[in-house]
């Protein structure tokens, strides 16, 4: 394997690519980075390139916002000539976004093999555009790098047995690489934000289906504003309407989206994390902070089964009950997500695979579980 084209486009993908890009480079692989331009706001993009010392993308498709069909169609048309010019051995994609689908579909149509990081996650809710992306991309991929046993089992149940590598979670790799930095910055960070450790809630909301339920979100915010502690709320641009009324809150403290290390500080200092984010549920569990998820389902089932996370949707009564019953489970969930070496395993697998040329049959290894997981 010589040359990889990686396609990314959103905040969580910038974060996930940080440890993987380093590992690919260390393994002597050439990575050409293509950014779709899905997240273009500086608070969702530029700050991560600085914080995580990411290589600037070689190409930016500048697709921007739009419907799913627009982002997918336009993205594919803009990516195709790049893949034809670069002739990569494979295209690497992360997670479940439009960028993931664009990368995988364009590559597959050109006969270029696809590698999918964070394969096998399922919410089993086909109303979610992300769920459609996950299923499509997993079924197009030659290398499926799964984070957990549950994700690997999901793939096997769909008949995917070839090319499956349970490597651990690259988000754990990222947390482990930056946790020490966040721990040493924590006291200053708390002082700067006028917060006390263990005495505030951290809230994030950004998902499209949350943003569309304005009245329900408003009720949740009104309820949280009546609680006995401050609520730090980094506001995603999609939720910017909240800012127009933020002056009326006494407990909720709105701020701009945080950079990655600041976000780790915010989680470490919080008593409980309240979120509709996928990644944050897991980071809370990894950093041993209880989480209440303002969704009705999750892809990270183990966070629920272990007691680190509760699902409440946007129901105020369920949220109230969850906050009353929040507890810190005795067992850490960290080892569920591997050992922080997922990125190196991915790089190793790809580096050891003989180069596949465009249009050729991808070279499969037999199904191996590289990393046994306790859960
Ligand atoms: C979800 C979607 C994904 C979509 C993305 C859009 C799922 C399973 N995935 O991912 O398809 O593209 O939303 O954003 O639903 N963070 C910061 N600063 C902040 C807030 C979050 O650094 O102010 C970090 C978190 O620590 C975490 C990551 O961003 O590492 C999570 O990103 P988020 O935008 O919440 O995305 P997901 O819900 O994980």
């Amino acid at each position: 394997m010589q040359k990889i084209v990686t396609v990314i486009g959103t905040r969580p993908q910038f974060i996930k690519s940080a440890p993987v890009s380093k590992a690919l480079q260390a393994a002597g692989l050439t990575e050409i980075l293509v950014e779709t331009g899905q997240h273009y706001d500086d608070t969702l993009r530029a700050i991560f390139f600085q914080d995580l010392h990411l290589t600037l993308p070689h190409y930016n498709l500048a697709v921007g916002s739009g419907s799913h069909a627009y982002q997918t169609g336009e993205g594919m048309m803009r990516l195709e000539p790049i893949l034809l010019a670069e002739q990569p051995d494979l295209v690497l994609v992360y997670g479940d976004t439009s960028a993931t689908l664009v990368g995988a579909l364009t590559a597959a149509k050109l006969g270029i093999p696809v590698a999918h990081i964070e394969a096998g996650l399922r919410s089993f809710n086909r109303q979610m555009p992300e769920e459609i992306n996950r299923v499509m991309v997993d079924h197009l991929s030659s290398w499926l790098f799964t984070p957990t046993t549950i994700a690997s089992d999901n793939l096997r149940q769909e008949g995917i047995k070839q090319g499956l590598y349970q490597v651990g979670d690259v988000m754990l790799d990222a947390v482990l690489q930056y946790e020490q930095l966040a721990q040493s910055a924590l006291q200053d960070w708390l002082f700067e934000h006028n917060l006390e450790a263990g005495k505030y809630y951290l809230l994030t909301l950004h998902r499209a289906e949350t943003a569309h339920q304005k009245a329900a979100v408003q009720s949740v915010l009104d309820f949280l504003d009546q609680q006995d502690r401050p609520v730090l709320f980094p506001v995603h641009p999609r939720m910017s309407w909240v800012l127009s009324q933020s002056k009326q809150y006494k407990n909720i403290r709105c701020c701009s989206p945080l950079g990655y290390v600041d976000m780790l500080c915010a989680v470490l200092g919080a008593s409980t994390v309240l979120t509709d984010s996928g990644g944050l549920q897991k980071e809370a569990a990894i950093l041993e902070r209880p989480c209440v998820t303002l969704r009705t389902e999750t892809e990270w089932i183990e966070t629920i089964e272990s007691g680190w996370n509760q699902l409440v949707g946007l129901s105020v009564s369920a949220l109230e009950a969850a906050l009353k019953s929040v507890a810190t489970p005795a067992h850490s969930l960290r080892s569920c997500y591997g050992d922080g070496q997922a990125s190196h395993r991915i790089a190793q697998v790809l580096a050891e695979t003989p180069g596949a040329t465009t249009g050729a049959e991808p070279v499969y290894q037999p199904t191996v579980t590289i990393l046994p997981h306790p859960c």
Side-chain angles (χ1 to χ4, degrees):
M1 188 64 59
Q2 295 294 324
K3 190 182 193 181
I4 294 171
V5 165
T6 297
V7 182
I8 52 176
T10 63
R11 170 168 70 185
Q13 290 168 333
F14 303 139
I15 294 168
K16 287 166 204 169
S17 73
V20 177
S21 290
K22 272 189 221 152
L24 294 178
Q25 207 176 358
L29 295 161
T30 302
E31 186 183 34
I32 307 291
L33 210 54
V34 178
E35 188 185 352
T36 59
Q38 200 176 325
H39 278 178
Y40 48 84
D41 190 292
D42 272 356
T43 60
L44 299 182
R45 176 189 178 276
I47 195 170
F48 295 99
F49 281 88
Q50 284 160 21
D51 247 24
L52 306 173
H53 306 289
L54 299 179
T55 310
L56 286 176
H58 299 79
Y59 300 93
N60 190 327
L61 306 182
V63 170
S65 314
S67 69
H68 292 282
Y70 165 79
Q71 284 188 332
T72 309
E74 196 65 32
M76 287 182 72
M77 284 194 291
R78 294 183 191 195
L79 179 61
E80 186 178 51
I82 295 171
L83 295 185
L84 288 171
E86 293 287 352
Q87 297 279 314
D89 294 302
L90 76 100
V91 167
L92 180 65
V93 293
Y94 293 84
D96 56 22
T97 68
S98 298
T100 320
L101 186 62
V102 164
L105 207 47
T106 313
K109 295 276 183 185
L110 292 172
I112 302 169
V114 177
H116 187 200
I117 294 181
E118 226 180 41
L121 294 187
R122 296 290 181 267
S123 65
F124 302 101
N125 174 3
R126 291 278 172 110
Q127 300 296 316
M128 281 179 79
E130 291 92 345
E131 182 77 353
I132 296 167
N133 295 344
R134 292 176 196 128
V135 173
M136 296 272 293
V137 173
D138 281 340
H139 285 264
L140 291 175
S141 296
S142 302
W143 293 268
L144 299 106
F145 296 111
T146 63
T148 60
T149 304
I150 293 176
S152 301
D153 288 346
N154 287 339
L155 292 178
R156 290 191 193 100
Q157 268 157 28
E158 288 175 24
I160 300 176
K161 299 195 171 88
Q162 295 285 308
L164 196 165
Y165 299 89
Q166 187 170 315
V167 290
D169 191 340
V170 295
M171 279 190 107
L172 173 65
D173 297 16
V175 172
L176 294 182
Q177 287 178 19
Y178 290 91
E179 185 182 8
Q180 208 51 52
L181 193 59
Q183 288 283 13
S184 33
L186 182 57
Q187 289 312 320
D188 287 348
W189 185 90
L190 289 166
F191 182 75
E192 203 181 302
H193 289 81
N194 192 22
L195 291 166
E196 276 184 74
K199 294 196 176 153
Y200 66 92
Y201 294 128
L202 170 65
L203 171 69
T204 79
L205 298 169
H206 76 285
R207 301 181 57 75
E209 53 271 39
T210 308
H212 292 152
Q213 299 181 64
K214 212 167 162 178
V217 171
Q218 190 62 68
S219 304
V220 165
L221 293 177
D222 291 343
F223 166 76
L224 288 175
D225 200 40
Q226 301 306 317
Q227 298 308 297
D228 61 350
R229 63 193 72 192
V231 179
L232 181 69
F233 184 13
V235 180
H236 188 281
R238 193 182 266 152
M239 303 292 294
S240 57
W241 58 268
V242 167
L243 296 172
S244 61
Q245 62 213 54
S246 62
K247 282 204 185 96
Q248 73 197 40
Y249 295 128
K250 61 180 174 46
N251 268 337
I252 297 178
R253 302 195 197 162
C254 296
C255 64
S256 299
L258 301 174
Y260 184 61
V261 178
D262 282 345
M263 194 61 187
L264 293 182
C265 288
V267 175
L268 284 168
S271 59
T272 306
V273 175
L274 316 173
T275 190
D276 68 349
S277 162
L280 206 50
Q281 293 170 49
K282 199 175 36 178
E283 286 166 347
I286 290 170
L287 295 171
E288 302 189 2
R289 296 296 177 273
C291 183
V292 176
T293 296
L294 301 153
R295 284 176 59 192
T296 48
E297 80 259 309
T298 179
E299 297 74 24
W300 304 104
I301 310 291
E302 62 287 340
T303 62
I304 306 291
E305 288 172 349
S306 60
W308 283 101
N309 190 8
Q310 301 181 65
L311 293 177
V312 299
L314 288 171
S315 150
V316 169
S317 55
L319 173 59
E320 187 172 13
L323 289 181
K324 279 187 188 143
S325 66
V326 158
T328 306
H331 297 292
S332 166
L333 202 54
R334 207 173 259 218
S335 59
C336 242
Y337 300 111
D339 56 2
Q341 298 298 318
S343 309
H344 290 291
R345 289 193 185 86
I346 291 167
Q348 189 192 336
V349 168
L350 296 180
E352 285 172 5
T353 305
T357 51
T358 303
E361 278 294 299
V363 183
Y364 295 115
Q365 295 209 354
T367 305
V368 287
T369 297
I370 296 184
L371 191 65
H373 284 272
C375 46

